[in-house]
Amino acid sequence: MGDALQGNARRIRPGNRKDFGVAAELLAASLADDPASLWLHPKESTRRTRLVRSFRVSLDDSRDCSDGVDLALDSTGAIVGAAVWLATFHVLPRETIGRRLTAVHTYGAYAARARADANATYAAGVQEQHWHLLAVGVRAAARGRGYGRDLIAAGMYRAAADGVPVHLETTNPDNLSFYQRLGFDTTAVIDLPGGGPRRWLMRQVPQPISNHPRSRR
């Protein structure tokens, strides 16, 4: 695994705050039709705006807590993909009044639905230390060229360097075979409360490595 990931690392770089506007828009566009997005943001007229807000919060949290934002670049250097990761063995965001207000601003009348989603997923999850993939997306015009695989491989490489597994969730059954090809196994399947979509929790243990190709700040 190590040699392949080192070869792919040339088109993956860490994200900075100046990139987050572009990255949030990219993720919102890429995941607008995801079952979780449709359930948490059922109003089509506001879905894209609220998704951008949500992903911007995730990007800021990832950068602050784990330095876990990865960007995929095409041959011109343009951003065509993004992945957002959190390391559970770092200091994670704390629940505050400010964060609750942000959730209301992001989810509107469906803030309680978002809390129920998070609580159900957390209850079904694992408590071991790991790197967690919060979101990954690739521009529609750039799909099928391996950018999504490279973004996830970069996170797997980092997890291997830290000696911990990788966890993720998906509500899109079409994603399962893709993640399985990358070595992920399903650890739990839950139906989100209130008529929400089915969610698959998945885990992968990267092979140990001796060095890390991703540049750090």
Side-chain angles (χ1 to χ4, degrees):
M1 182 181 72
D3 291 342
L5 292 184
Q6 288 181 19
N8 291 335
R10 59 185 174 79
R11 60 176 181 177
I12 303 296
R13 72 164 173 84
N16 293 299
R17 292 195 192 281
K18 62 182 177 60
D19 305 310
F20 287 1
V22 172
E25 291 280 357
L26 185 158
L27 289 167
S30 178
L31 298 172
D33 293 330
D34 186 84
S37 297
L38 296 174
W39 185 61
L40 292 171
H41 305 285
K43 192 173 181 179
E44 185 175 1
S45 61
T46 59
R47 183 179 304 133
R48 182 67 66 86
T49 299
R50 292 188 183 279
L51 281 171
V52 170
R53 290 174 187 165
S54 176
F55 286 124
R56 182 56 196 256
V57 171
S58 295
L59 287 159
D60 286 335
D61 286 347
S62 175
R63 177 63 181 86
D64 290 343
C65 302
S66 306
D67 191 17
V69 178
D70 291 322
L71 303 176
L73 312 178
D74 67 10
S75 60
T76 70
I79 299 171
V80 294
V84 188
W85 303 82
L86 276 178
T88 63
F89 47 91
H90 292 178
V91 177
L92 299 181
R94 299 178 62 183
E95 182 69 18
T96 63
I97 293 176
R99 290 183 69 83
R100 291 179 184 177
L101 291 175
T102 297
V104 171
H105 184 57
T106 300
Y107 295 100
Y110 299 96
R113 180 177 289 187
R115 286 196 301 273
D117 175 353
N119 290 338
T121 302
Y122 179 80
V126 295
Q127 304 305 313
E128 67 180 345
Q129 295 182 344
H130 63 277
W131 274 94
H132 199 101
L133 178 60
L134 297 180
V136 59
V138 175
R139 292 191 187 281
R143 291 174 189 166
R145 303 179 190 176
Y147 290 112
R149 180 199 61 220
D150 290 355
L151 284 163
I152 296 172
M156 289 163 54
Y157 205 91
R158 184 164 57 245
D162 289 333
V164 298
V166 175
H167 286 263
L168 60 84
E169 295 104 29
T170 182
T171 54
N172 188 343
D174 294 338
N175 292 337
L176 295 176
S177 60
F178 170 73
Y179 290 127
Q180 288 164 354
R181 289 195 296 272
L182 292 175
F184 283 85
D185 295 315
T186 299
T187 58
V189 180
I190 60 173
D191 291 317
L192 295 178
R198 177 159 293 181
R199 174 164 286 166
W200 288 264
L201 282 65
M202 307 188 79
R203 179 181 187 266
Q204 198 267 3
V205 181
Q207 300 174 16
I209 59 171
S210 58
N211 52 40
H212 197 310
R214 181 181 184 267
S215 59
R216 310 296 290 180
R217 287 172 293 276

